[in-house]
Structure formats: C-alpha cells, structure tokens
Amino acid sequence: MNEVTEGDVQGMISLRNVQAGDLEQLLAIEDEGFSKEEAATKEAMIERIYTIADTFIVAEKDGEILGYINGPIINQPYITDDLFEAIEKNPKTGGYQSILGVAVSKNARKQGIARILIGKIEELAAENKRQGITLTCKEELVSFYEKLGFVDHGLSESQHGGVSWYNLVKETEDKN
C-alpha cells in the first residue's frame, strides 16, 4: 500500500463552510476527539452551524468529513467558558477569532489536516481584519500550536470539562 503524504492529502481534500446536513458526521468526530465532558453537545454544535457558519470550516474528501474547525469572533484575547454554551453572530471585522473546536477523524489523523484547517482560519482572520486568533488547549498540545506560530500565554481560567487548559494566541499579520 502506498503511503499518503501531507502534500497528497492537501491535493485531495476540499475546504468549505459547514452545512446543516453535516451534523451527524461532526458529532462523531467530536466524540472521537474529546471526552464526554469536553465535547460540544448536539445543541451547541447546531447553534454553531447556524450562527457562525462563516467561521465553521470542514475538510472533506469524497463526501466524507475528515475534520473541522470552528469558533466565534470575541472581543477579548482569551476564551471564556460561557462561549461553550452560547455564542453570537460574528461581526464583519475586528475582534479575535476564537477556536472552540478543531478535530480530525481518527482515520485521517497525522496527515496535516488540522494544520490545513488552522491555515484557513488564519486566512479568514486576516481577510476580516481580526486582531488575532485565540484558543485553549491541553498541555500536551501546546508545542503543536507553538510550531504554528501561536504564543503560550499560560494557564487559562477555563475549567471546561474539568480540565486544565492553556491560552494560546496568534496575532494576525495584517491589521490594516
């Protein structure tokens, strides 16, 4: 069997905004990537689909969703736990692009898909003159995000899912 390289994967997948019909595949990937306490509820996922489709991107190949990234625009550089419960429609410009979820299907991991999705969010953040991109992650993922240019701002106040999270922020390059 031939090994699939990251370059091959990038050529085969397509990125698009989320659609209502994606819900079941998204929930399956969410459950693979997060504990029950951390995972977005079905209700939260539906709210994100309908409220922030402009910043909810899926990666797919042959009709199968391989991964996704989503998050609302917020006014501050750090994510707060209330965002996991309720979000508002994104403003056209300004603010910080938060990432509430980035997840890749178990059978599509280690192929650069998360990196591709983060790259797309970075493009959107620059296009829409966001101040930066913010996320929280577990300690074991800090180095992954640092390699992508995020800066570790230390422990987050977030207690989402009863876990310790770290604030990571990446300032956008074009703020004009």
Side-chain angles (χ1 to χ4, degrees):
M1 190 169 177
N2 292 338
E3 188 172 320
V4 177
T5 66
E6 188 174 318
D8 294 336
V9 170
Q10 290 178 9
M12 295 185 294
I13 69 166
S14 60
L15 300 179
R16 63 169 174 79
N17 291 91
V18 71
Q19 299 167 358
D22 297 335
L23 180 63
E24 294 307 318
Q25 286 186 73
L26 296 172
L27 290 171
I29 294 169
E30 180 83 2
D31 289 344
E32 287 178 354
F34 298 98
S35 72
K36 187 174 189 289
E37 294 77 24
E38 299 162 4
T41 63
K42 182 175 184 176
E43 294 74 20
M45 194 69 78
I46 290 169
E47 182 182 30
R48 292 177 196 177
I49 290 169
Y50 286 101
T51 309
I52 58 166
D54 56 329
T55 55
F56 195 144
I57 308 299
V58 298
E60 73 176 350
K61 177 186 171 197
D62 300 327
E64 178 187 358
I65 296 176
L66 304 178
Y68 64 85
I69 191 167
N70 68 65
I73 305 306
I74 59 176
N75 292 322
Q76 70 276 1
Y78 301 132
I79 290 172
T80 52
D81 283 348
D82 60 309
L83 292 174
F84 293 99
E85 305 302 324
I87 54 172
E88 295 179 7
K89 194 172 185 322
N90 291 327
K92 297 263 186 252
T93 61
Y96 283 84
Q97 171 67 62
S98 71
I99 298 175
L100 295 185
V102 58
V104 176
S105 173
K106 278 188 178 174
N107 63 2
R109 291 186 184 156
K110 304 287 187 208
Q111 297 177 33
I113 293 169
R115 185 174 282 120
I116 294 166
L117 288 163
I118 291 166
K120 180 61 177 176
I121 282 290
E122 289 174 348
E123 284 177 30
L124 291 173
E127 286 172 17
N128 295 300
K129 298 176 178 34
R130 308 298 181 200
Q131 291 174 265
I133 302 168
T134 182
L135 60 88
T136 57
C137 70
K138 295 179 188 172
E139 186 173 16
E140 62 267 21
L141 289 172
V142 169
S143 64
F144 169 78
Y145 289 108
E146 285 178 329
K147 288 177 189 158
L148 296 176
F150 285 82
V151 176
D152 180 2
H153 286 214
L155 269 174
S156 169
E157 291 181 15
S158 175
Q159 295 298 311
H160 180 70
V163 176
S164 292
W165 299 92
Y166 287 78
N167 286 317
L168 281 94
V169 178
K170 183 174 186 177
E171 300 297 325
T172 50
E173 293 181 23
D174 181 14
K175 293 184 197 167
N176 296 328

